[in-house]
Amino acid sequence: MTTKSIPIGARSRRFVLELPLERPDGFGGVIRSYAPGPQVWGAIEMLSGHERVRSDRPEQSLTHRITLRYREGVTGAMRLTSGLRRFAIRAASDPDGSKRDLVCLVEEVRA
């Protein structure tokens, strides 16, 4: 399978990679918050959107593909932000193994 690389000039959106901070909640679990990490430039593409019912309330689910310059250590515990929009990283991979691009499949988090 061949993948088409997105040109650097098309990566015009600034994202902040947020790093998870976990602290104990006193009951055996953890409270997760996020701290801003490095700023990165990327391209965003919407993949799908659908509505589902959760706890008797309609909820929208939007998934996107965000392409960044390759960087080590990006995991599903992290998230990306762009302005007021937040994206939970569901998967991150190097599509062709060349360490040129990092493709993140994300779900937009609605508050």
Side-chain angles (χ1 to χ4, degrees):
M1 178 175 129
T2 61
T3 58
K4 184 178 175 187
S5 181
I6 294 178
I8 293 294
R11 299 175 192 189
S12 59
R13 181 150 323 188
R14 187 183 324 187
F15 293 94
V16 174
L17 184 63
E18 291 188 334
L19 310 170
L21 298 173
E22 294 182 348
R23 56 189 163 88
D25 66 357
F27 297 101
V30 296
I31 297 172
R32 180 179 287 173
S33 60
Y34 292 89
Q39 291 185 1
V40 294
W41 292 91
I44 186 168
E45 173 186 0
M46 185 171 166
L47 297 178
S48 70
H50 63 277
E51 190 172 294
R52 60 184 174 211
V53 177
R54 184 176 285 179
S55 300
D56 292 329
R57 291 183 24 193
E59 181 180 275
Q60 291 182 354
S61 175
L62 300 171
T63 58
H64 303 274
R65 176 184 302 131
I66 298 177
T67 304
L68 311 168
R69 180 174 226 179
Y70 182 79
R71 68 183 309 119
E72 290 283 338
V74 176
T75 67
M78 299 174 179
R79 67 182 186 188
L80 291 164
T81 62
S82 178
L84 297 176
R85 296 174 74 185
R86 302 207 181 305
F87 304 94
I89 298 174
R90 300 296 180 214
S93 71
D94 178 10
D96 59 1
S98 66
K99 294 191 176 182
R100 184 178 13 215
D101 295 327
L102 180 69
V103 176
C104 298
L105 299 177
V106 300
E107 185 174 351
E108 189 165 358
V109 176
R110 300 276 175 144

